[in-house]
Amino acid sequence: MNTSEIISIIITFVGVASFAIVFTILYNSYTKSQISEIKSGKNDIVLIDEVIYEGQEKIIQRRRITRIIKNIIFTIAMIIIIPLFAFSIINKITNSNIILGNHSLMAVASGSMSEKHADNDYLFTNNLDNQFAKYDIIVLEKVKQGDLKLYDVIAYKNDKGTNIIHRIVRINSDGTFVTKGDASGSGKEDAYNPSYDDIIGRYTSKKIGGIGIIIQFFQSYAGFITIVSLVYCLFIIDYLTNKITKAQEERTKKLSEVIDYNKDINSEALKAEYIEKLYYKGFIYYFDENGFLKKEEDLQNNLDNKIIKEIENKESKEITKEVIIIDTEEDKKQDEK
């Protein structure tokens, strides 16, 4: 690893780490703000609406579809990212050669086999059309000594330890091979002539197009740091979002107990037709014996920490009222803790 690569890694690490830190601070601040608003009752109208509407079939169906879509997207992302990341790490450890029985997979790092050069007549006369592009993943097979023949595409390790995937264009008398990329012109054979011991495998003409660029990114230090940072950010989002959800559930539970319009109506009242109204934060909610009716603005009252429950018997016109305090001083002290 040279100096420029080390500097590049350091800059990448500092940049990604700085982003993760700033993201954590901002999202944590957002979480605290949301929880504070939930506990203070600023979002009560939204939560009350959810409590009232969540039993309606359309709302349930919409939420179910949304949840299914989110799960599908997340699952597809995981199915794609996790295998590719695992493949990249294994590929890095095994020096770009993942062995699967008698076959192996290799990511193509150059475009030297991506097209037929006009100088290479043998490609056209022998109909050799098994080219592959840079960033493809190709499938190699093991070969026995003596099985290789002219114009086979082989992957081998040269004298510098670099993986080369080129076509055999000549076989020397000593058993070594002269290789060349299909996209290279005349006189550009490879300087190193591999022997059988240098060969990793023979190309089977099977390939997976394009994903090699993702593999190579994951294999790079910048890619690895980025993936680790992404996983960290997803963990932070999940952790802090759960805090917000918990605060919403606790607040919703408190509001649900208050707006449960059936629990305070005695059995005699249930036999009669009635209208119940809830007055809270500038809105009036209407219920009858069958459930929720409507919601409208309350232009006269704007109650902040209490709900007025008004029940009217349609037959007798008798009206009963109850004032319920949502947040007592004890509740506020508990929330502050």
Side-chain angles (χ1 to χ4, degrees):
M1 186 182 298
N2 56 40
T3 305
S4 62
E5 288 178 330
I6 294 174
I7 294 174
S8 176
I9 292 170
I10 293 173
I11 292 174
T12 302
F13 176 78
V14 171
V16 174
S18 298
F19 167 78
I21 291 170
V22 171
F23 174 81
T24 302
I25 293 172
L26 292 177
Y27 202 78
N28 188 55
S29 176
Y30 165 77
T31 301
K32 288 181 177 179
S33 173
Q34 286 293 104
I35 292 175
S36 176
E37 288 188 1
I38 291 168
K39 289 185 175 182
S40 67
K42 289 183 179 179
N43 297 331
D44 278 359
I45 295 300
V46 175
L47 296 177
I48 288 174
D49 287 347
E50 289 184 356
V51 171
I52 292 173
Y53 293 125
E54 68 181 1
Q56 296 185 11
E57 187 59 34
K58 288 183 179 179
I59 302 298
I60 293 174
Q61 188 70 16
R62 186 168 65 233
R63 288 183 177 178
R64 186 183 296 121
I65 293 172
T66 302
R67 185 166 60 251
I68 291 172
I69 292 173
K70 286 181 179 178
N71 289 338
I72 290 174
I73 293 173
F74 180 79
T75 302
I76 291 174
M78 291 300 101
I79 289 174
I80 294 173
I81 292 174
I82 291 176
L84 285 178
F85 187 61
F87 181 88
S88 303
I89 299 301
I90 297 171
N91 198 257
K92 183 75 171 178
I93 294 172
T94 59
N95 195 21
S96 299
N97 184 35
I98 296 179
I99 299 174
L100 303 170
N102 290 325
H103 294 79
S104 58
L105 303 176
M106 184 173 287
V108 180
S110 75
S112 60
M113 289 290 295
S114 60
E115 61 182 2
K116 295 181 180 182
H117 195 284
D119 291 345
N120 302 324
D121 295 336
Y122 55 87
L123 296 175
F124 301 94
T125 56
N126 292 283
N127 296 318
L128 301 175
D129 299 320
N130 57 344
Q131 286 73 34
F132 45 83
K134 185 178 181 180
Y135 302 130
D136 284 354
I137 300 293
I138 63 170
V139 180
L140 305 172
E141 63 181 356
K142 287 184 179 180
V143 287
K144 296 179 181 179
Q145 192 165 7
D147 284 352
L148 290 173
K149 60 184 182 297
L150 190 64
Y151 303 136
D152 280 345
V153 176
I154 58 172
Y156 66 90
K157 195 176 296 294
N158 66 13
D159 54 343
K160 296 180 181 178
T162 303
N163 290 342
I164 305 295
I165 314 169
H166 281 171
R167 193 181 302 277
I168 297 172
V169 294
R170 192 165 64 253
I171 301 177
N172 296 323
S173 57
D174 62 357
T176 58
F177 304 95
V178 178
T179 58
K180 179 182 177 182
D182 287 359
S184 301
S186 60
K188 292 186 178 181
E189 289 84 4
D190 299 327
Y192 181 74
N193 297 156
S195 66
Y196 175 79
D197 293 336
D198 298 316
I199 293 173
I200 299 169
R202 176 171 55 193
Y203 177 43
T204 63
S205 296
K206 296 177 180 178
K207 62 184 179 179
I208 304 172
I211 67 171
I213 190 171
I214 302 174
I215 302 298
Q216 292 196 4
F217 173 72
F218 284 169
Q219 287 179 344
S220 67
Y221 292 105
F224 183 79
I225 292 170
T226 301
I227 293 299
V228 171
S229 176
L230 178 61
V231 171
Y232 167 79
C233 289
L234 290 174
F235 170 78
I236 289 296
I237 290 173
D238 183 64
Y239 174 73
L240 296 178
T241 300
N242 284 338
K243 281 190 169 185
I244 296 174
T245 301
K246 184 178 179 181
Q248 287 177 331
E249 289 174 350
E250 290 175 352
R251 187 70 182 181
T252 300
K253 182 180 179 182
K254 180 184 291 187
L255 293 170
S256 297
E257 292 173 352
V258 173
I259 66 173
D260 185 0
Y261 58 91
N262 281 331
K263 73 174 186 178
D264 294 326
I265 303 173
N266 59 39
S267 58
E268 290 300 321
L270 286 172
K271 295 177 183 177
E273 292 185 348
Y274 68 89
I275 292 290
E276 178 175 347
K277 301 176 186 176
L278 297 181
Y279 298 83
Y280 185 48
K281 287 186 177 293
F283 288 92
I284 308 173
Y285 294 86
Y286 292 84
F287 303 86
D288 65 8
E289 63 277 2
N290 296 315
F292 175 70
L293 294 174
K294 63 179 180 177
K295 166 190 170 184
E296 63 183 30
E297 279 192 87
D298 182 6
L299 302 178
Q300 297 180 348
N301 303 294
N302 191 6
L303 308 172
D304 280 334
N305 69 329
K306 59 184 178 181
I307 290 178
I308 296 178
K309 300 179 73 170
E310 180 182 287
I311 301 174
E312 177 184 352
N313 188 309
K314 290 182 180 178
E315 185 177 345
S316 65
K317 302 300 181 182
E318 180 184 357
I319 297 175
T320 59
K321 288 187 179 182
E322 179 185 2
V323 178
I324 301 171
I325 305 298
I326 298 297
D327 292 301
T328 63
E329 291 299 322
E330 184 178 340
D331 291 332
K332 292 179 180 178
K333 290 178 181 179
Q334 188 66 28
D335 289 341
E336 288 174 0
K337 291 180 181 181

